[in-house]
Amino acid sequence: MLVLGIETSCDETGIALYHGEQGLLTHTLYSQIDIHTPYGGVVPELASRDHIRKVTPLIAETLEKAGISKGQLDGIAYTAGPGLVGALLVGATIGRTLGWALNIPTIGVHHLEGHILAAFLEENPPAFPFVALLVSGGHTLLIEVKGIGQYRLLGETIDDAVGEAFDKTAKLLGLGYPGGAALSLLAKKGNPERFKFPRPMLDRPGLDFSFSGLKTCALRTVEKHGLDDQTRADIARAFQDAVVETLVTKCKRALREVNLSRLVIAGGVGANYALREALQNLDAYFPRLEFCTDNGAMIAYAGYMRLLMGQQDDLAIQVYPRWPFQSH
Ligand code: KG4
Ligand code: ZN
């Protein structure tokens, strides 16, 4: 089965082709970052309009790169939510319409399921069951995963998502948007001894997270010590150390609680080198860096698995800007 995947939930247009036997054939990604940077965050209407401009040329480019014609497709998968409604509608409309025109099964995929299954695109994929840590710009979740569609929420953030905390702190340090990756680079030059940020909620039982306090802590530190180059690096380091230790401790706690050893990391913050290093001696699986952040490959793969299970959507173009992540 050959599946075309379309991701347009936020500020990246991602297109990919996944083949049941041959694996990922190719994928293409167009990032809108330059469009949103002057505004310091994603502007939804600009995102939708740019997806409209890019999605069809990118589909054509992806098919051409793989030497595939539309007629060879067996299925189509698009991100149906959660995300920005206008952005989602672009991918859903093109995906659903193309599926109808080609008369092939089409399915709307949950963006977070895509992230969680991204590790299956690697050479050494995990086996079920496992605990997934999903750390993105909008979500921070610990999930017990028994199989495709068998998800149990173990813990989540009660305020900011990890990526959001990275981005807000990065902005405070003058690193632009989205600044998670830039902050983590700056942290390499930081002195780990200078500032010690709290490890939120580690002293309490449970698997929930809270990250909004860290950003406030960074703000207080800036107010007291200023923003010279070394101080910025030291704050970045203190922030990242606190986040990583909190995440690693909660992951270990979750694994103990459900009596599992395998851990799968997913989402943009999964690209963070300090987090990857800190999880080295666990039985941890990571997608390659480019599949941690949003991409079409994970949607093509998740859609392929769903279509293989015989699922498909009807002809209605449906998106779910808010879509809780449970078994579905
Ligand atoms: O999964 P993703 O591409 O989009 C969402 O679905 O949210 O995640 C984007 C988030 C942003 O907050 C970005 O700053 C963060 O992932 N991020 C990182 C790194 N690379 C991306 N955070 C920390 N370290 C990184 N290396
Ligand atoms: Zn995402």
Side-chain angles (χ1 to χ4, degrees):
M1 193 193 326
L2 178 60
V3 177
L4 175 75
I6 304 170
E7 154 66 32
T8 65
S9 68
C10 189
D11 58 349
E12 254 120 17
T13 320
I15 309 291
L17 285 163
Y18 187 85
H19 188 280
E21 278 102 53
Q22 295 161 36
L24 184 68
L25 299 187
T26 186
H27 80 107
T28 329
L29 189 76
Y30 169 78
S31 169
Q32 303 177 347
I33 280 183
D34 292 347
I35 294 172
H36 303 293
T37 297
Y39 304 94
V42 178
V43 182
E45 185 55 26
L46 294 182
S48 319
R49 290 177 191 203
D50 205 52
H51 284 305
I52 291 173
R53 274 192 288 272
K54 292 292 172 354
V55 72
T56 21
L58 273 186
I59 291 175
E61 184 188 321
T62 310
L63 289 167
E64 200 187 313
K65 230 173 23 178
I68 299 282
S69 67
K70 283 196 194 83
Q72 289 171 274
L73 296 174
D74 300 304
I76 296 187
Y78 58 87
T79 305
L84 303 170
V85 63
L88 289 167
L89 273 169
V90 177
T93 305
I94 188 88
R96 184 57 272 185
T97 310
L98 199 55
W100 175 74
L102 297 169
N103 197 20
I104 53 177
T106 301
I107 191 155
V109 169
H110 197 297
H111 182 78
L112 303 190
E113 179 171 68
H115 272 303
I116 285 173
L117 300 181
F120 287 84
L121 293 163
E122 302 309 326
E123 237 167 62
N124 175 27
F128 296 112
F130 54 80
V131 167
L133 172 72
L134 178 80
V135 274
S136 70
H139 298 89
T140 305
L141 308 172
L142 272 165
I143 302 152
E144 183 185 12
V145 180
K146 290 196 176 146
I148 305 285
Q150 294 171 47
Y151 309 118
R152 186 165 72 94
L153 184 66
L154 301 172
E156 63 186 324
T157 184
I158 58 166
D159 43 53
D160 290 354
V162 189
E164 190 182 353
F166 261 100
D167 293 341
K168 285 177 178 170
T169 306
K171 202 170 187 174
L172 179 74
L173 300 178
L175 295 171
Y177 176 87
L183 185 149
S184 111
L185 273 183
L186 184 62
K188 287 194 174 173
K189 298 186 204 140
N191 171 4
E193 307 301 330
R194 179 144 171 233
F195 303 120
K196 187 95 179 157
F197 283 17
R199 272 55 177 158
M201 300 187 51
L202 276 197
D203 50 347
R204 287 187 241 166
L207 294 169
D208 285 339
F209 304 93
S210 163
F211 292 105
S212 69
L214 284 179
K215 147 200 90 189
T216 316
C217 187
L219 178 65
R220 297 281 166 269
T221 313
V222 168
E223 283 166 0
K224 195 158 166 212
H225 298 271
L227 267 177
D228 65 84
D229 283 353
Q230 191 56 48
T231 304
R232 287 166 72 235
D234 295 343
I235 292 174
R237 178 64 192 257
F239 171 84
Q240 180 170 270
D241 283 355
V243 168
V244 168
E245 194 184 323
T246 306
L247 290 175
V248 172
T249 307
K250 289 276 162 93
C251 283
K252 289 182 178 163
R253 203 182 273 180
L255 289 168
R256 262 200 314 276
E257 208 157 280
V258 295
N259 205 16
L260 290 174
S261 64
R262 253 186 310 272
L263 180 70
V264 170
I265 311 301
V269 184
N272 184 275
Y273 70 89
L275 179 64
R276 293 172 90 98
E277 251 170 53
L279 293 168
Q280 272 308 314
N281 45 16
L282 291 185
D283 187 10
Y285 294 76
F286 299 89
R288 72 194 81 164
L289 296 185
E290 61 181 333
F291 293 163
C292 285
T293 41
D294 290 348
N295 64 85
M298 66 186 195
I299 302 304
Y301 179 76
Y304 162 74
M305 292 306 294
R306 291 277 178 175
L307 292 168
L308 202 62
M309 290 161 75
Q311 299 179 11
Q312 60 172 294
D313 287 340
D314 60 25
L315 286 176
I317 296 169
Q318 283 274 19
V319 296
Y320 310 92
R322 291 173 180 275
W323 189 358
F325 190 65
Q326 288 132 8
S327 294
H328 63 273

